[in-house]
Amino acid sequence: MFSLLLFTFVASVCSQSKLLPGSCDFESSTCGYTPDTHFRSWTLNKDGRFVTVDSTSEGEHQEAPEEGGVAAQRGEASARGVLLSPVLDQEDWSCLRLVYQITGAGGLEVLLRSEGKGFDRPLWSSQAPSDSWVISSMDLPNTTEPYRVAIDGSPGELQGSSVAIFEIHISPGYCLECNFEETHLCGYRNQWNTNVNWYIGGGVAVQSDLPSDNTYSNKIGHFMYVDSIYAKTFKEVAKLVSPMTTVPMSGCLGFQYQRGEKPGNRFSVYTRDQLGQYQEVWNAASENQTNWVADPSEWIPVQVDVKAPYPVQVVFEVAFNSQRGGRVKVDDITFSSEFCSADTEPTFDPSIANCDFESGLCHYTQDTNLGSAWKRVAVKPNLFRNGDHTTGAGSFLLSQAHYSLRGFSQTEQALVVYLQHQSSKKQEKVWTQGERSKGIWIANDITFQTTQPSKLLFVSICRSFWDCGSVALDDISLSLGDCELKAGLSLSVPGHCDFEAGLCGYTQDKRGDAGDWMWRRGSTPTSYTGPRGDHTTGLGYYMYMEASPMMPGQGVRLRSRALRGSHLPKCLRFFYHMYGSGVGELRVHLARDGEDTLLWKRAGEQSVAWLRAVVEYHSDYQHQIVFEATRGSSVRSDIAIDDIVFENGPCKEIEIHVANGSSNEIE
């Protein structure tokens, strides 16, 4: 027994020595973690072991949320506690494991904060309450720039709500990597099955029928195994699932495995994305060796390339066909950002197909065999016809322009997208326009797969001379992965808000307000004012001021969450819509210490189209951005905003400000 305890102690010491700076068990101190003074403080428990922020920390007075529209969103600064790690300088990938608990209601978010940058990069978040401690894993990227980890806890308004952190462990390597020597098993979990499941093997000094592990080559080390003796029905399946990665994973996945003497199972490895879609990356039958080795205790090494340009889980799956299906063990899972084989084709860069047509056709060419051609055109801001989608005053492609009388596509199935395979020249239809666009820009996502070089064809179709609608194209983009996955990822980009999933932390500023900014989709209630759809997709959400219940000169104010100061310039881009004979003013202010500084403004009717605004500004101190809309002379004074983007550094483009006119001619 003494030897067992001694070995356990040594293993624990070795494990602890692998922890990197930024790790903390909060035993008696916060290990250099400090509060962001702009928010409430985290409190170290009087007996140590964890830190917490709750709804009554420091006796702060909590204002009741105000009623009505966006006003129901309470000010976040008073409700949040932000804990900052010491400065970390880790050039290689590392894994942060967080043991936490959310009691009652609230949320917890982990972000990366780089010096000189005004926006934190989200890594992970949760709003799920629990009755016990929960572990979560997130990858810290390799970087040459020092950074801090920011832990943002937001207890809810329910009495007794709190957010607590028990331990923070930062270890070298990716979170996928695991030798199963730690009790947390690196976040890997068994997906419960009534009969067959993965278990922890090893960890005993006495003789047993289980083999030695691969890490230490003895019976005290640990591994994961599944046994067929509990199988009751045909094709019982056991799954060992990794934590969901927080970054795209492309590289070399390695692991060690053993299989029993009897060929009664199928052992496979899959990736599973956030939509639950599986993709097989390896199975034991594909090994270029005898599946059933003479020595069943021999550990077999595997290396397989994984190409996942989006977060995934790795699933080790064993399917048994009877109780005599044998046993499968797994140990020492590794990952490298370099592919296993030098012959592996590098990940394709799909951005070569992106084009906004502002400077030409990019890499697109005309197919002269079809008789007519797409034309690159532009429409100046006006009160009758939409401009392009990129800026509202730029260029786009238009087909059948000589037939166009008003708007763009006015017939169904006027646009078809084909995938043309280079080898066979065969064309595969991947999308068809299903309905009229109502004269607004509509975003469409097309998910397709191909295993050979191919081209995308955008084809405008006329049914007859009299049934030939015009079709406009703009802002084509191509990316790897399912479109639904990419839509989910876009929500985590710091400083970006398209209002599709909510208000992104924007709150109603009641100072001098006579109404509310409203969250809406579709057209506004008052005719001849406001947009007919949002800018992002044409079918989504935006924010707008409803002018009808307000008096001339009254306004509404929408306030951003707190933004950190920086010696570097910042670039604010957003889209605005000011259409209506009585439109008033839209202003953008920098708010700090109760004072506003005007950054940008527009007054009067601008265009029937969404227009892009570009604002570059400096602020060395923490601040907020306020969007203020003022009602004009009549109820036809609705003003809308959408697709707000903050970026570090100077603006890369300039705002095209063209006075609106009565002409809607295409140039």
Side-chain angles (χ1 to χ4, degrees):
M1 179 63 71
F2 176 77
S3 60
L4 171 60
L5 294 176
L6 177 62
F7 186 89
T8 304
F9 173 75
V10 172
S12 176
V13 171
C14 292
S15 173
Q16 293 296 324
S17 67
K18 295 180 181 179
L19 294 180
L20 298 174
S23 301
C24 189
D25 59 9
F26 301 103
E27 184 66 39
S28 58
S29 71
T30 59
C31 313
Y33 279 79
T34 56
D36 185 329
T37 56
H38 295 99
F39 305 93
R40 65 171 45 174
S41 296
W42 289 74
T43 303
L44 180 65
N45 182 266
K46 63 180 181 179
D47 298 322
R49 296 304 297 171
F50 65 90
V51 291
T52 184
V53 59
D54 58 46
S55 56
T56 58
S57 290
E58 301 178 357
E60 294 181 6
H61 173 69
Q62 300 297 311
E63 297 181 0
E66 302 181 61
E67 300 296 329
V70 183
Q73 298 284 328
R74 60 185 296 175
E76 58 169 342
S78 63
R80 296 167 53 201
V82 178
L83 192 64
L84 299 176
S85 75
V87 176
L88 305 179
D89 189 5
Q90 294 159 188
E91 297 185 3
D92 296 323
W93 283 88
S94 56
C95 177
L96 185 152
R97 291 192 173 91
L98 182 73
V99 182
Y100 70 96
Q101 183 176 2
I102 300 174
T103 303
L108 183 63
E109 187 173 17
V110 179
L111 311 98
L112 281 189
R113 176 171 296 186
S114 300
E115 185 65 29
K117 294 185 178 180
F119 307 102
D120 298 332
R121 173 183 171 186
L123 291 177
W124 169 92
S125 65
S126 175
Q127 294 181 327
S130 67
D131 296 327
S132 59
W133 296 105
V134 180
I135 184 171
S136 187
S137 305
M138 58 216 74
D139 291 293
L140 300 180
N142 56 339
T143 177
T144 57
E145 298 181 358
Y147 62 88
R148 290 185 174 192
V149 174
I151 301 175
D152 189 337
S154 302
E157 298 173 8
L158 295 177
Q159 186 175 4
S161 294
S162 66
V163 179
I165 298 173
F166 186 75
E167 283 184 346
I168 300 172
H169 281 190
I170 302 178
S171 55
Y174 294 85
C175 292
L176 281 179
E177 301 182 85
C178 195
N179 59 14
F180 302 107
E181 300 303 326
E182 299 279 359
T183 56
H184 53 61
L185 301 180
C186 315
Y188 280 78
R189 62 179 178 83
N190 169 66
Q191 186 168 310
W192 178 254
N193 181 298
T194 304
N195 299 318
V196 293
N197 293 279
W198 287 88
Y199 298 96
I200 305 171
V204 294
V206 297
Q207 186 67 29
S208 74
D209 64 340
L210 289 175
S212 299
D213 82 322
N214 182 72
T215 311
Y216 298 118
S217 298
N218 59 39
K219 294 184 180 296
I220 299 181
H222 297 82
F223 55 88
M224 300 299 294
Y225 78 96
V226 58
D227 200 314
S228 65
I229 60 173
Y230 302 108
K232 301 295 184 183
T233 61
F234 179 73
K235 207 169 184 179
E236 296 270 16
V237 177
K239 296 181 180 181
L240 178 66
V241 184
S242 78
M244 180 70 70
T245 64
T246 54
V247 293
M249 302 299 290
S250 292
C252 182
L253 174 69
F255 60 93
Q256 303 276 340
Y257 80 97
Q258 292 182 6
R259 296 176 81 187
E261 301 91 338
K262 302 175 182 179
N265 65 67
R266 174 180 170 83
F267 178 32
S268 306
V269 179
Y270 299 87
T271 58
R272 183 169 68 186
D273 62 30
Q274 292 168 309
L275 298 177
Q277 301 176 24
Y278 285 78
Q279 181 175 353
E280 186 178 81
V281 296
W282 176 89
N283 65 72
S286 65
E287 288 287 273
N288 294 322
Q289 59 183 9
T290 303
N291 288 331
W292 309 99
V293 295
D295 183 3
S297 65
E298 177 185 345
W299 285 97
I300 303 173
V302 173
Q303 287 189 324
V304 58
D305 287 325
V306 174
K307 292 183 178 181
Y310 39 78
V312 293
Q313 294 172 299
V314 174
V315 181
F316 294 85
E317 180 181 287
V318 178
F320 296 106
N321 58 19
S322 72
Q323 291 182 334
R324 295 185 297 274
R327 183 185 290 164
V328 176
K329 307 105 188 173
V330 171
D331 200 5
D332 293 339
I333 301 170
T334 62
F335 187 83
S336 169
S337 59
E338 297 182 359
F339 288 118
C340 310
S341 171
D343 297 331
T344 299
E345 183 179 343
T347 303
F348 166 65
D349 180 10
S351 64
I352 61 172
N354 296 355
C355 192
D356 60 13
F357 304 106
E358 296 303 306
S359 301
L361 299 182
C362 306
H363 297 285
Y364 289 84
T365 57
Q366 299 278 6
D367 188 342
T368 56
N369 296 325
L370 298 180
S372 60
W374 291 88
K375 295 183 179 180
R376 179 171 166 265
V377 300
V379 178
K380 292 181 179 180
N382 65 89
L383 308 181
F384 307 101
R385 183 194 296 274
N386 262 328
D388 80 321
H389 181 265
T390 313
T391 68
S395 299
F396 58 96
L397 293 189
L398 184 65
S399 73
Q400 316 300 337
H402 54 292
Y403 296 135
S404 178
L405 297 178
R406 58 177 70 90
F408 297 141
S409 176
Q410 297 297 319
T411 62
E412 294 85 359
Q413 300 181 354
L415 178 64
V416 181
V417 180
Y418 293 93
L419 192 66
Q420 179 175 294
H421 304 298
Q422 182 174 313
S423 57
S424 63
K425 302 299 182 183
K426 180 181 178 181
Q427 294 182 0
E428 174 188 353
K429 183 188 294 185
V430 294
W431 179 83
T432 302
Q433 174 206 354
E435 58 184 19
R436 299 185 181 186
S437 70
K438 302 177 183 178
I440 60 176
W441 288 104
I442 301 294
N444 281 286
D445 294 329
I446 307 170
T447 298
F448 62 90
Q449 286 184 307
T450 179
T451 58
Q452 55 184 302
S454 305
K455 293 182 178 181
L456 284 172
L457 277 64
F458 295 85
V459 181
S460 173
I461 296 177
C462 286
R463 297 179 181 177
S464 67
F465 181 87
W466 303 107
D467 189 8
C468 194
S470 62
V471 178
L473 279 180
D474 203 3
D475 293 340
I476 300 173
S477 64
L478 186 66
S479 57
L480 298 175
D482 192 293
C483 291
E484 290 189 53
L485 287 173
K486 305 305 291 186
L489 286 176
S490 66
L491 300 178
S492 64
V493 179
H496 292 212
C497 187
D498 58 14
F499 300 109
E500 296 306 304
L503 306 186
C504 314
Y506 284 85
T507 57
Q508 182 78 18
D509 185 349
K510 279 297 187 180
R511 189 181 73 178
D513 270 9
D516 291 335
W517 281 93
M518 307 302 294
W519 188 53
R520 189 174 181 85
R521 69 189 305 178
S523 59
T524 61
T526 309
S527 59
Y528 300 104
T529 187
R532 286 180 286 177
D534 78 321
H535 175 265
T536 315
T537 67
L539 304 173
Y541 289 89
Y542 58 91
M543 300 296 294
Y544 89 106
M545 175 193 72
E546 175 55 52
S548 56
M550 302 170 62
M551 299 295 292
Q554 292 182 331
V556 294
R557 291 166 59 93
L558 189 68
R559 184 178 290 265
S560 75
R561 64 190 302 175
L563 304 174
R564 289 202 323 278
S566 170
H567 63 278
L568 298 174
K570 290 184 174 64
C571 183
L572 164 63
R573 289 185 284 112
F574 65 96
F575 283 84
Y576 63 97
H577 196 282
M578 300 175 70
Y579 167 64
S581 58
V583 167
E585 284 191 341
L586 176 63
R587 298 184 184 92
V588 177
H589 302 281
L590 185 151
R592 178 176 175 267
D593 296 335
E595 296 184 0
D596 287 351
T597 301
L598 181 65
L599 298 178
W600 177 97
K601 77 171 183 177
R602 291 288 180 269
E605 191 172 37
Q606 299 294 308
S607 174
V608 72
W610 285 95
L611 301 177
R612 184 180 68 183
V614 181
V615 185
E616 184 175 314
Y617 71 96
H618 292 75
S619 180
D620 293 330
Y621 304 97
Q622 179 162 294
H623 59 281
Q624 292 174 290
I625 294 297
V626 177
F627 293 88
E628 181 180 35
T630 304
R631 184 198 191 272
S633 59
S634 75
V635 295
R636 294 196 175 105
S637 187
D638 293 349
I639 296 176
I641 57 175
D642 199 6
D643 293 337
I644 303 172
V645 175
F646 289 93
E647 292 180 335
N648 296 300
C651 296
K652 300 176 183 178
E653 62 278 300
I654 61 173
E655 181 176 347
I656 302 175
H657 186 207
V658 181
N660 69 72
S662 59
S663 171
N664 65 347
E665 292 182 359
I666 296 177
E667 298 179 341

